[in-house]
Amino acid sequence: DAGVTQSPTHLIKTRGQQVTLRCSPKSGHDTVSWYQQALGQGPQFIFQYYEEEERQRGNFPDRFSGHQYPNYSSELNVNALLLGDSALYLCASSLGRLNSNQPQHFGDGTRLSIL
Amino acid sequence: GESVGLHLPTLSVQEGDNSIINCAYSNSASDYFIWYKQESGKGPQFIIDIRSNMDKRQGQRVTVLLNKTVKHLSLQIAATQPGDSAVYFCAENDNNAGNMLTFGGGTRLMVKP
């Protein structure tokens, strides 16, 4: 039973560029959430996708966008990269969205470095 | 792998001792709580969860205690082992508002052999 998988594992970009990160959820899960984790801090919620639509969004600018496909996989896109976007980007999947009391399961993340 | 939590609070315990990691949460509407373990170079790994209608839940070698009055959560690890060394995060969620986790700042657990 495959867990959450993310690609790539590491990525180096320069300021102003655009990046796409990918996530395949755990088998049986239909909801995908994205988090940003800066060094020394806990993950911060970016947004959540369910039924191919963005359902909730944290305090991130619209440079951060996403997509969910019919097979539940998801992408995180970041435009006009800034130095401060350097972080570990985590994808988490779960079953159901509201009142599910189901834990989110995380992938190992994509380490994005901006030069 | 690279380090997670370079400047986090650190709890250092002897192998075989019990560990207690504490967490204060912020949202009184939160009704679901999770503890995660994060090892260097990896994503958070689910340990145990608890709903707000409970004040204690036990798993294998782990116990979570919830005190809603003071908005406090703790994770107890029995007979701590070197493999328990990691950064531990508590996370809270208000299920009526969706499934968006809010994480605490994390605690680094170091187990001395």
Side-chain angles (χ1 to χ4, degrees):
Chain A
D1 182 15
V4 179
T5 58
Q6 293 186 244
S7 64
T9 55
H10 293 83
L11 202 51
I12 299 174
K13 292 285 189 178
T14 57
R15 280 181 298 173
Q17 284 189 311
Q18 178 266 342
V19 69
T20 297
L21 310 181
R22 294 177 174 82
C23 172
S24 292
K26 180 179 168 69
S27 178
H29 285 180
D30 57 6
T31 303
V32 173
S33 302
W34 287 91
Y35 293 80
Q36 180 194 67
Q37 185 176 27
L39 264 179
Q41 297 181 23
Q44 288 204 312
F45 176 78
I46 302 175
F47 45 53
Q48 182 180 84
Y49 276 82
Y50 175 72
E51 292 185 336
E52 301 179 50
E53 289 190 19
E54 182 183 299
R55 300 292 181 168
Q56 271 187 291
R57 189 176 186 93
N59 189 25
F60 280 81
D62 58 10
R63 296 187 297 112
F64 290 75
S65 63
H67 189 81
Q68 185 179 35
Y69 294 93
N71 67 352
Y72 309 119
S73 67
S74 178
E75 291 178 352
L76 164 66
N77 302 295
V78 188
N79 294 324
L81 287 165
L82 304 173
L83 293 178
D85 295 332
S86 295
L88 180 68
Y89 288 85
L90 294 161
C91 171
S93 72
S94 54
L95 179 62
R97 192 176 81 86
L98 289 176
N99 298 317
S100 64
N101 281 325
Q102 296 291 324
Q104 293 184 22
H105 293 266
F106 285 81
D108 286 337
T110 294
R111 170 61 63 183
L112 177 62
S113 299
I114 311 302
L115 303 180
Chain B
E2 59 194 45
S3 297
V4 172
L6 297 177
H7 304 291
L8 293 172
T10 298
L11 174 66
S12 186
V13 300
Q14 204 70 39
E15 180 179 359
D17 287 351
N18 297 333
S19 303
I20 300 176
I21 301 171
N22 295 303
C23 174
Y25 65 92
S26 56
N27 183 1
S28 56
S30 292
D31 53 7
Y32 180 56
F33 305 88
I34 308 175
W35 279 101
Y36 286 95
K37 170 187 180 184
Q38 189 172 25
E39 296 174 283
S40 187
K42 299 202 167 184
Q45 175 189 357
F46 170 81
I47 302 173
I48 191 168
D49 58 2
I50 187 168
R51 294 159 181 71
S52 59
N53 61 351
M54 304 169 69
D55 54 21
K56 180 179 180 179
R57 189 167 188 221
Q58 288 184 287
Q60 186 176 13
R61 282 201 308 119
V62 294
T63 300
V64 55
L65 299 178
L66 174 62
N67 185 331
K68 295 181 289 294
T69 304
V70 295
K71 293 191 286 187
H72 183 268
L73 200 64
S74 69
L75 176 70
Q76 300 177 1
I77 304 174
T80 313
Q81 302 169 358
D84 295 326
S85 294
V87 177
Y88 288 80
F89 292 98
C90 66
E92 60 182 296
N93 182 47
D94 174 3
N95 268 298
N96 291 312
N99 196 7
M100 176 189 89
L101 296 177
T102 300
F103 282 80
T107 298
R108 176 185 297 281
L109 176 66
M110 297 179 64
V111 182
K112 297 176 288 186

